[in-house]
Amino acid sequence: MSSSFLTPSIGPQDHVYGNENAVIELVEYGDYQCPYCGRAYPIIKNIQEQLGSALRFGFRNFPLSKVHPNAFDAAVAAEAAALQGKFWEMHDIIFENQHSLELGNIVQLARSIGLNTDRFKEDLQLPAVIGKVKSDFESGVRSGVNRTPSFFINGNLYTGDWQGVVLLEYLKNQLPHRLNGQL
Amino acid sequence: MLTTGIAAPDFELYQTPDSRLRLSNLRGKNVILAFYPADWSPVCGDQMSLYNEMETFFTRQQAQLIGISVDSRWSHAAYSEQHGFYFPLLADFEPKGAVSKLYDAFDESTGECRRALYVIDGDGIIRWSYLSPIGINPGADGILTALETIHTNNQP
């Protein structure tokens, strides 16, 4: 709904990249097999580069399992990688290979970023890891996620366009003047 | 939109090419009526596809989800089969939009349903409604909150 707010707000259970005191917090609910999320991936990378320490970026899982059969397992894989301290490396490489997300390929991706693959394969089965993906999804439902990707800016659901530089420009306009001048 | 607290108007529509569904036959369950403009919207932001992922959340609240548009039962059958929907899509096709009009959910200018949501309780009473702008998928948070309110109020 139009007044939707990120629920719960970002906490210790979340994966957040960037300055923890950033003036802008951008949170994505994404699906690793969703082509739109794939398209958003380099756009977000660019936003992170452009905004630097003014931004922190969080990612929560919102796999549309019935539309994208590998989405849930891919989300579990990124959470399993987090147990070896490599969430963002896995998040990135999955999006860079989103057309081949069968289990065999996922394990190869894990190996390529230097994960211990024996441990990784075991961690894929952990109830806590699977539960993390499910609770992300539920929080998305609560927060009013209505498409993938959905973005929240400082807790508020962003309903505008995100393609090209539209989201970047929107975020720049949220910055205090003194910061905007420095970018 | 109809006001809350009144009995939901009864109706019967095709839910498959050869069977019909009557609202009053669902007494005892909560019912979510989701009027939407048309079958075959792009998938990643599509309201029916999103709700299809929420089966566990709705079932937990003893709620039956029903999609309604003015598309024909044949279009619904194909759309539903392609997306693997777990819930029925009702064809408000002939006379066109009759049920949508009954629920103030018909857009005369386009001849399609508006994006209207109703939550009806097990006694057939409208407990919550919401009209979303036509281009905006309303998500499911409002529905879930309404269902939880019904559940809480029904506790002894």
Side-chain angles (χ1 to χ4, degrees):
Chain A
M1 290 164 57
S2 51
S3 60
S4 297
F5 202 77
L6 187 65
T7 314
S9 51
I10 288 292
Q13 76 283 5
D14 285 299
H15 305 294
V16 184
Y17 194 94
N19 175 10
E20 78 176 275
N21 299 315
V23 289
I24 293 178
E25 176 196 87
L26 176 68
V27 175
E28 174 182 354
Y29 278 91
D31 169 326
Y32 287 110
Q33 209 182 349
C34 161
Y36 296 92
C37 298
R39 226 178 281 168
Y41 166 69
I43 290 173
I44 298 298
K45 282 274 181 228
N46 181 49
I47 287 173
Q48 288 180 292
E49 226 167 84
Q50 300 286 325
L51 297 188
S53 66
L55 177 86
R56 65 171 186 162
F57 174 65
F59 184 88
R60 285 179 177 169
N61 301 292
F62 202 79
L64 298 173
S65 310
K66 294 190 183 176
V67 187
H68 304 134
N70 302 122
F72 189 90
D73 289 348
V76 169
E79 295 298 331
L83 297 183
Q84 296 186 46
K86 296 207 166 182
F87 174 80
W88 291 108
E89 290 87 340
M90 197 67 181
H91 164 277
D92 289 3
I93 204 166
I94 290 175
F95 270 133
E96 287 159 16
N97 293 274
Q98 77 166 170
H99 297 296
S100 48
L101 296 180
E102 298 76 26
L103 182 62
N105 293 323
I106 290 272
V107 173
Q108 275 197 1
L109 296 178
R111 184 175 296 120
S112 73
I113 61 166
L115 293 181
N116 173 335
T117 52
D118 287 336
R119 183 182 161 196
F120 173 73
K121 282 191 261 185
E122 281 173 29
D123 290 348
L124 291 178
Q125 315 292 329
L126 286 178
V129 169
I130 295 164
K132 170 69 166 67
V133 176
K134 287 185 176 170
S135 77
D136 275 3
F137 187 88
E138 180 154 7
S139 78
V141 174
R142 297 278 163 198
S143 304
V145 165
N146 61 357
R147 57 180 177 175
T148 50
S150 277
F151 294 102
F152 289 80
I153 298 168
N154 290 339
N156 295 300
L157 180 63
Y158 173 73
T159 54
D161 188 9
W162 49 264
Q163 309 218 33
V165 292
V166 181
L167 180 55
L168 174 64
E169 293 303 324
Y170 181 88
L171 291 172
K172 278 186 176 172
N173 285 330
Q174 307 298 305
L175 292 173
H177 270 306
R178 61 187 165 78
L179 275 177
N180 203 351
Q182 291 166 16
L183 292 172
Chain B
M1 297 286 282
L2 301 180
T3 52
T4 54
I6 66 167
D10 200 18
F11 59 81
E12 186 178 288
L13 290 173
Y14 276 105
Q15 60 172 338
T16 68
D18 53 12
S19 78
R20 294 164 75 93
L21 182 146
R22 176 168 282 279
L23 179 67
S24 53
N25 287 346
L26 297 174
R27 286 290 151 76
K29 276 186 191 175
N30 298 313
V31 175
I32 305 156
L33 290 185
F35 294 89
Y36 65 100
D39 291 349
W40 307 108
S41 312
V43 163
C44 293
D46 176 54
Q47 191 181 358
M48 292 305 114
S49 298
L50 182 74
Y51 291 174
N52 197 36
E53 305 281 345
M54 300 191 180
E55 182 173 1
T56 52
F57 299 99
F58 294 152
T59 307
R60 201 186 291 165
Q61 299 292 341
Q62 288 88 44
Q64 167 73 55
L65 169 63
I66 291 171
I68 304 181
S69 79
V70 296
D71 293 284
S72 77
R73 50 190 150 145
W74 306 103
S75 173
H76 278 342
Y79 178 49
S80 187
E81 186 184 345
Q82 193 189 355
H83 289 77
F85 291 150
Y86 82 91
F87 56 92
L89 299 177
L90 303 189
D92 195 13
F93 182 73
E94 181 59 38
K96 187 181 174 187
V99 172
S100 311
K101 287 171 189 165
L102 209 54
Y103 280 81
D104 198 17
F106 190 74
D107 184 337
E108 298 284 352
S109 67
T110 59
E112 295 175 343
C113 291
R114 305 200 285 167
R115 228 175 259 285
L117 294 171
Y118 286 92
V119 170
I120 299 164
D121 70 14
D123 298 322
I125 306 295
I126 296 173
R127 300 290 290 269
W128 179 81
S129 68
Y130 180 74
L131 180 66
S132 189
I134 203 72
I136 296 184
N137 175 351
D141 51 326
I143 296 171
L144 280 182
T145 306
L147 289 169
E148 283 162 3
T149 306
I150 292 174
H151 180 77
T152 309
N153 291 349
N154 286 354
Q155 296 299 308

